[in-house]
Amino acid sequence: PLPPPFTHNDESDDDGDTDSLIKPSQSVHRQLSNATAHVPLTIPSSSTSINQIMKLAVLIALASGAQAFAPTTTSSNSALRMSEVPAEEVAEVAAPTVAPINGWVPDAAQPCYGLPGAISPLGFFDPLGFSNGELGTVKRLREAEIMHGRVSMAATLGYLIGESTPTITYGMDVHHTIANNQLPEVPGTVLFPFFLAINIAEAWRASAGWVEPGLGSLFELREKYYPGDIGFDPFGLKPKDAKEFANMQSKELSNGRLAMLAAAGMCVQEQINGQGILETLGF
């Protein structure tokens, strides 16, 4: 412990000298100088220490806030390491494949997305560019072509058979009205089951190939639906091989296209001369 910094001088007390009552002694000066030489820091007063603590706390708070916005070296290093990975080592993401439908896989690089029907001698014939739309539009147009072809094939037979064979409507008489004028003459009891059968067939086709109203856009076919394939094959004529199926599809399209022209020609011919088809040909 340090000696007291001040000492009492008896001689000055006796003389009554108040200026020399308290004075530092020389030994105390020597001890204080030696002590301060070995002590690196002096002990501050209470007010000074509080101010220094407050300043230190403010500096710590500012340093911690600035550190929150400083970029981390880990992310930059990781990004650098990712950029240094060779391209060959990065696994390529495979494109989603489409499940084939009757052996057909849509291909945007081919006409009509690869659907059959480009038959010689014309091949792919679309001068107005109807098949340049999206896949859903092309499928819907092919659906319409197949269904119109099937109806026209039935209509061609109906023109020939309805005009030249005995029917219940005309009392088994072959000399009856031409086909263009038969429908208004058919009684309602015969027309009702006829139209009922048409409605049932169309409802079946709609449920098999078309998206329900409210679940998609209007006139949208199902993704897994092949145009024209409603699942009706009572005689098992549908081939299982993809090439054979495409070949049969092309034949159906060819006959349907010819039947559409034939039915239109028959209708116009009867309107011109008022005679049946076979009668016009001399039969």
Side-chain angles (χ1 to χ4, degrees):
L2 297 177
F6 300 100
T7 182
H8 184 265
N9 193 346
D10 294 337
E11 295 178 356
S12 57
D13 186 35
D14 295 335
D15 297 337
D17 189 0
T18 57
D19 295 335
S20 60
L21 287 177
I22 300 173
K23 64 169 66 175
S25 63
Q26 295 180 356
S27 62
V28 170
H29 279 289
R30 287 194 298 270
Q31 292 178 359
L32 286 175
S33 61
N34 294 333
T36 54
H38 296 284
V39 178
L41 295 177
T42 58
I43 300 175
S45 61
S46 59
S47 60
T48 304
S49 62
I50 293 175
N51 293 333
Q52 292 178 351
I53 293 173
M54 292 293 292
K55 292 180 181 179
L56 182 61
V58 172
L59 291 176
I60 294 174
L62 292 175
S64 61
Q67 187 178 4
F69 296 95
T72 58
T73 57
T74 304
S75 59
S76 61
N77 293 335
S78 60
L80 182 61
R81 288 194 297 269
M82 291 178 64
S83 62
E84 293 176 354
V85 176
E88 293 78 11
E89 297 182 4
V90 179
E92 296 183 358
V93 179
T97 57
V98 180
I101 309 173
N102 293 331
W104 167 69
V105 177
D107 186 2
Q110 298 184 6
C112 287
Y113 290 87
L115 285 171
I119 306 167
S120 60
L122 297 178
F124 178 70
F125 182 74
D126 184 20
L128 300 180
F130 289 110
S131 61
N132 295 333
E134 299 179 352
L135 177 60
T137 303
V138 173
K139 289 178 64 176
R140 188 171 67 251
L141 292 177
R142 175 51 58 86
E143 171 79 7
E145 182 182 15
I146 292 177
M147 297 312 300
H148 282 84
R150 292 172 180 174
V151 172
S152 298
M153 287 188 282
T156 303
L157 293 177
Y159 266 96
L160 299 177
I161 297 174
E163 294 177 344
S164 307
T165 59
T167 60
I168 299 175
T169 303
Y170 293 97
M172 307 304 291
D173 186 7
V174 295
H175 302 286
H176 45 66
T177 310
I178 61 175
N180 286 357
N181 298 332
Q182 286 183 3
L183 190 60
E185 297 178 358
V186 177
T189 55
V190 178
L191 287 178
F192 178 75
F194 175 72
F195 285 112
L196 181 61
I198 293 177
N199 291 331
I200 293 175
E202 284 298 305
W204 184 3
R205 183 172 72 95
S207 62
W210 300 80
V211 177
E212 291 80 357
L215 300 181
S217 59
L218 294 177
F219 312 112
E220 182 180 356
L221 293 178
R222 299 184 187 275
E223 184 179 357
K224 301 297 183 181
Y225 176 71
Y226 187 90
D229 187 7
I230 60 176
F232 180 76
D233 186 21
F235 299 105
L237 300 178
K238 177 182 177 181
K240 296 182 178 179
D241 183 70
K243 294 183 178 180
E244 294 180 359
F245 179 84
N247 186 26
M248 179 174 284
Q249 179 91 93
S250 299
K251 292 178 179 179
E252 183 183 15
L253 287 169
S254 298
N255 287 281
R257 292 165 182 171
L258 179 61
M260 285 187 280
L261 295 175
M266 291 178 180
C267 180
V268 173
Q269 180 63 44
E270 289 192 352
Q271 288 298 113
I272 291 175
N273 60 6
Q275 296 178 357
I277 302 302
L278 294 182
E279 185 179 358
T280 300
L281 295 177
F283 292 97

